[in-house]
Amino acid sequence: MSEKEKTCQTRWLKTNEISMKEYRKALEDAASLLRDGELVAFPTETVYGLGGNALDAEAAAKIYSAKGRPSDNPLIVHISYIDMLEPLVEEIPSVCRRLAFEFWPGPLTMILPKSDQVPMATTGGLDTVAVRMPAHGVALDLIDTCGLPLAAPSANRSGKPSPTRGEHVYHDLQGRIPMVLDAGAVEIGLESTIIDLSRPEPVILRPGKITYDDLKPFVPRLKEYHHPSGREIERPKAPGMKYTHYAPEGTMIMLPLHVEDDFFRALESKEKTAILASTEKIARWRRFCPDVTWIALGAEDDLDSLAHNLFHALRQCDLLDMETIYIESFSEDGLGEALMNRIRKASSCPLLIEKQ
Ligand code: AMP
Ligand code: MG
């Protein structure tokens, strides 16, 4: 970013390395920026969010501009207690109350018809609004302190993997926003599950840590767009779904479930090539191909770790200027559905390894 494009100094504050008194002061500073229509990045349990006052069209416009995001891609509004929901929506259906009680604070975003108080700038021109209550102490403290619902998309530059650590946010947005609250690595590392409750038959628009099976008992008419295989079986009509995300700079290719040694022979002494895989696969595969860069995502059966490490690994590939990135395919069970959904979105040509 050139000096000219930088609009402000970014204060990067590590909330785990300060006293309670300093933390409260930081929250006050952040809250006063937000009340003035400025932006503050903060951690949630899913990924870091770039927050602005959800009721202020100008703050929403600043979010789009800081991210370089198309302004018809709607923002998720974050709240810290249930009474904050009422003014944002036309009405609260009973299924929404039930899901909120069961899964909030947590990685579930619900879409409902919006009230007049929420500007179209926040919802990307839609008459619905996406809302969630994040399960992270700093996010909840910040929203409590400023008393505002915060529109907060992932705090990355548009097209980059979502940020899972404070330094990812600083790397993407320094000079563009006044403050980053950094509480270290987030817990989950993939974005929230999105359920659209604005239609007669609710649908899952984005898979996440909370799965179809988790939601189904509370939403009898629930439809899913995502087949258990993780592949979309029908394209959602919501305008917010038309943008791709999460892509690293290099070409990313998903490996088939069973990789054969021809593949490694073809890769011999390829520079600027990375392979992202489980620790077990790396221990075996690296013996066949010493020259590529190996990046471990976690143990094969530990979906939580694989999800937690994915976006950081994609960013490492960018930092290392990797031109080609191969990635292992994982189980689609539970969180695996969301993991494979993000891997597919980041991949330029899924499952295309031609035999030579
Ligand atoms: P992010 O906050 O970066 O994880 O992205 C927010 C995503 O939420 C958008 O890209 C949309 O896919 C989705 N979203 C937010 N609001 C709505 C809405 N009103 N209708 C449909 N999708 C939405
Ligand atoms: Mg995003």
Side-chain angles (χ1 to χ4, degrees):
M1 186 175 169
S2 73
E3 285 306 309
K4 230 172 137 194
E5 277 181 282
K6 293 192 183 186
T7 52
C8 59
Q9 287 275 340
T10 301
R11 190 171 158 209
W12 182 5
L13 206 131
K14 301 196 176 170
T15 61
N16 294 331
E17 295 171 18
I18 53 179
S19 68
M20 190 62 192
K21 201 170 157 195
E22 288 166 323
Y23 175 58
R24 295 175 86 89
K25 170 78 170 70
L27 286 174
E28 284 300 340
D29 292 348
S32 100
L33 284 167
L34 290 163
R35 283 190 218 104
D36 288 346
E38 287 299 334
L39 309 184
V40 174
F42 61 92
T44 79
E45 81 282 32
T46 58
V47 300
Y48 274 76
L50 175 58
N53 181 357
L55 306 178
D56 175 355
E58 281 176 30
K62 279 188 190 164
I63 293 177
Y64 289 110
S65 142
K67 274 182 69 86
R69 178 176 183 146
S71 61
D72 62 347
N73 194 354
L75 309 174
I76 294 174
V77 179
H78 292 66
I79 60 175
S80 61
Y81 62 102
I82 198 72
D83 290 3
M84 290 178 90
L85 179 59
E86 217 168 281
L88 303 175
V89 297
E90 252 174 26
E91 62 170 336
I92 305 178
S94 58
V95 63
C96 169
R97 278 194 195 283
R98 186 74 185 88
L99 289 176
F101 186 71
E102 201 62 36
F103 296 106
W104 281 359
L108 179 67
T109 297
M110 296 192 245
I111 294 176
L112 292 166
K114 77 172 193 70
S115 73
D116 293 341
Q117 286 201 38
V118 182
M120 287 285 186
T122 296
T123 63
L126 298 176
D127 51 15
T128 52
V129 61
V131 188
R132 94 175 183 100
M133 190 189 291
H136 194 294
V138 174
L140 294 172
D141 288 347
L142 178 63
I143 303 168
D144 281 344
T145 309
C146 68
L148 295 168
L150 296 182
S154 51
N156 51 293
R157 285 284 288 171
S158 195
K160 291 267 177 209
S162 292
T164 56
R165 302 177 180 206
E167 63 261 34
H168 298 163
V169 180
Y170 191 75
H171 175 271
D172 279 15
L173 298 179
Q174 62 122 338
R176 296 178 188 272
I177 60 170
M179 193 167 185
V180 178
L181 295 173
D182 176 355
V186 301
E187 186 197 328
I188 299 173
L190 299 181
E191 304 84 346
S192 59
T193 305
I194 302 181
I195 182 172
D196 187 349
L197 297 176
S198 71
R199 358 177 158 202
E201 294 194 322
V203 288
I204 293 173
L205 296 183
R206 178 171 74 187
K209 171 93 177 163
I210 295 173
T211 63
Y212 176 83
D213 291 341
D214 295 331
L215 295 168
K216 182 73 179 166
F218 306 99
V219 192
R221 298 173 76 186
L222 181 63
K223 288 237 186 279
E224 59 172 344
Y225 279 119
H226 296 271
H227 192 258
S229 74
R231 249 165 259 147
E232 285 168 49
I233 49 176
E234 195 186 330
R235 232 154 232 299
K237 308 286 184 296
M241 308 298 286
K242 76 181 181 195
Y243 296 103
T244 52
H245 281 124
Y246 331 116
E249 302 284 343
T251 304
M252 187 157 134
I253 302 167
M254 273 170 57
L255 291 169
L257 279 174
H258 302 287
V259 181
E260 305 189 19
D261 73 344
D262 296 19
F263 165 71
F264 293 106
R265 228 170 293 146
L267 270 193
E268 245 168 59
S269 68
K270 276 260 170 71
E271 282 178 20
K272 295 286 171 201
T273 294
I275 303 186
L276 277 50
S278 60
T279 41
E280 291 90 334
K281 285 288 179 0
I282 290 180
R284 256 174 46 71
W285 290 350
R286 75 187 334 168
R287 294 176 188 282
F288 297 89
C289 191
D291 293 328
V292 303
T293 299
W294 296 92
I295 299 181
L297 293 172
E300 213 160 32
D301 61 355
D302 183 357
L303 285 168
D304 286 330
S305 292
L306 298 169
H308 177 91
N309 294 325
L310 176 69
F311 289 148
H312 181 64
L314 296 184
R315 282 175 177 265
Q316 271 180 287
C317 292
D318 282 351
L319 289 176
L320 298 169
D321 290 325
M322 289 295 150
E323 287 161 357
T324 311
I325 301 148
Y326 293 97
I327 187 161
E328 186 181 341
S329 300
F330 299 100
S331 148
E332 308 257 359
D333 293 341
L335 183 59
E337 187 190 355
L339 175 70
M340 288 306 294
N341 168 271
R342 304 314 191 271
I343 289 176
R344 284 197 177 87
K345 286 192 178 212
S347 302
S348 338
C349 36
L351 289 169
L352 276 189
I353 308 292
E354 304 244 332
K355 272 201 157 186
Q356 315 228 341

